[in-house]
Amino acid sequence: MSVDDTTLQQKPDPLPSPWRSGRFRLFFTARSASLLADGMLMVSLTTAVLGAGHGASGVGYALAAWMTPIVLLVLFGGVLADRFTPQVMMICADVARMAAMLTMAVLLFSSDSVPLWQIMGLMALSGAATAMFQPGMASMVPRVARDIQKANALLRISEALSTLLGPGLAGLLVAYWQVSGSYLVIAAAYALSAAVLLPLRKLHTERDEGDAPMWRRLATGWQEFRSRQWLWGVIAVWSVYGLFVFGPALPLGAALMIEQHGANGYGWIASADGAGTIIGGLIGMRVRPRRPLVAGALAMLCFALNPLAPALEWSFEATAIAHVIAGYGFAFWGVMWATSVQSHIPLTVLSRVSAYDVAGSIMVIPLGRALAGPAADMFGANEVLIFSSVMSCVLLAVMLSVPAIRALRRAPDTPLRKAEGEPAL
């Protein structure tokens, strides 16, 4: 691997900024609104379940009810997005999530003790809708922006801001307007997302007009996925990464940082992580490595600091700086990965391939979180997090050892995906 292959270039952008596209502005607004709603949901859900008297176990059941349909249905979401167009599926998903949140608001407003099964049912509906929404989101980016990398960087920044603002906004609403009020705002955010996606419903897409059955469409997506070694190689590594790194890092890291720096200190450290994500997105807007997966994986090495800082009981300042650096690495990798997938996979199957990406990336994280507690009881939380940090570096080294991943080059900066007849929104 030569130095020239991973040198970050600062040449003037050959493509217009995504902001000049009305289509991208609409999509960005929709995505930001749905991300803000997602950021508010966990605080609102936890408060609602505890307030109804179902305890911490009830929170776990409700989160499982939300997460399980995503894992089980996301592949079908990819098939349906390629069949009926991603924007139609995203609008339908937003409407379903809005309805679920409005129902939650009504139940919480009318009763102080909502049955857990009702909460779980509505969360399952929201999770199923999310499974329909997510695959199409990835395949929309090449359709609304000619500069795919810059568009992904802007979306990553929006995600970081929503992650920072969502929980705080939900907390304020719960404190001053009851938990039912927070669900009304969440429903309004999903409604806004659906409304601004409506003008994009007639956007030209390579819609799959075939009449093949669902299983054959799934098989086609799998064939496209497995035929690219760089693609399934990253996901294979990422699945193990989710088990050993992402799984333990959040619950054990949060517990240790609250113990070491207090709840307020942990809040500031979480904000530092969000600031690093914004920095990573901003850098991702400008630098264009010839081998994006190599550059992204090298940046992702910084994420090893995330579990390492609390494990070694660093000072508050050092831990905050470590999370800024870790957040940068995670965001920059995300931009490089999303851009690589969206620029190398045909649009006709991109939603299905993205669904396999999502499924492979997230399905083992809940298992990793479930095993984190028992592992900490057996070996110690600090030791488990040190192991996670080491595994982060080992797994990224394994990723970089795959020739197909190292060899993947940046797609040409040309408007090859601009479809004829697209409306000028």
Side-chain angles (χ1 to χ4, degrees), residues 224-293:
E224 293 287 344
F225 178 82
R226 67 182 294 271
S227 66
R228 295 168 172 83
Q229 187 180 13
W230 64 269
L231 182 61
W232 62 258
V234 169
I235 297 303
V237 172
W238 212 244
S239 298
V240 183
Y241 199 97
L243 179 64
F244 290 118
V245 184
F246 288 141
L250 178 59
L252 298 185
L256 286 181
M257 285 185 283
I258 290 173
E259 179 182 321
Q260 295 163 10
H261 309 295
N264 186 53
Y266 172 65
W268 282 108
I269 291 170
S271 297
D273 192 282
T277 303
I278 294 172
I279 292 170
L282 291 172
I283 294 175
M285 292 177 64
R286 298 301 306 166
V287 297
R288 299 175 183 271
R290 289 190 178 92
R291 299 192 181 186
L293 296 185

Side-chain angles (χ1 to χ4, degrees), residues 150-213:
K150 187 170 288 187
N152 280 310
L154 289 168
L155 291 169
R156 183 67 62 170
I157 293 170
S158 173
E159 181 179 350
L161 291 173
S162 299
T163 301
L164 286 173
L165 297 176
L169 177 58
L172 288 174
L173 290 169
V174 168
Y176 294 102
W177 198 23
Q178 299 184 341
V179 67
S180 58
S182 69
Y183 275 101
L184 286 176
V185 175
I186 293 172
Y190 287 134
L192 174 61
S193 176
V196 296
L197 285 171
L198 277 173
L200 298 176
R201 69 189 185 279
K202 295 183 179 180
L203 179 67
H204 176 88
T205 58
E206 292 75 6
R207 179 175 174 179
D208 179 3
E209 298 290 353
D211 57 357

